[in-house]
Amino acid sequence: MFRGDLLLKWRMKNGLSQTESAQKANITQEYWHALENGKRVPSLNVLHVISVVTGIKKAVLLGEENIC
């Protein structure tokens, strides 16, 4: 299950708006909002980009691995 809450925590920690975060990932603000709120699950391509942008491992974003 995709951990959108981690996107919110990352965004807040970095002082970014949803629009700024979405721009970094080359997606719309509406899509970022839906990801943060658990209303959408990203495609594998978007998951990869979000992982690169945020520095959060894909396995962690997918809830398969804990944050240490």
Side-chain angles (χ1 to χ4, degrees), residues 2-48:
F2 183 73
R3 298 277 317 269
D5 61 309
L6 296 178
L7 294 184
L8 175 60
K9 289 177 185 176
W10 173 85
R11 182 172 64 79
M12 292 290 149
K13 178 182 174 186
N14 289 283
L16 299 171
S17 68
Q18 286 184 341
T19 300
E20 292 167 325
S21 301
Q23 287 173 342
K24 289 180 179 293
N26 199 30
I27 59 176
T28 65
Q29 177 274 328
E30 291 83 3
Y31 189 40
W32 185 276
H33 173 80
L35 291 170
E36 276 190 0
N37 290 287
K39 296 181 179 178
R40 297 281 307 265
V41 175
S43 67
L44 291 176
N45 290 336
V46 172
L47 177 65
H48 175 75

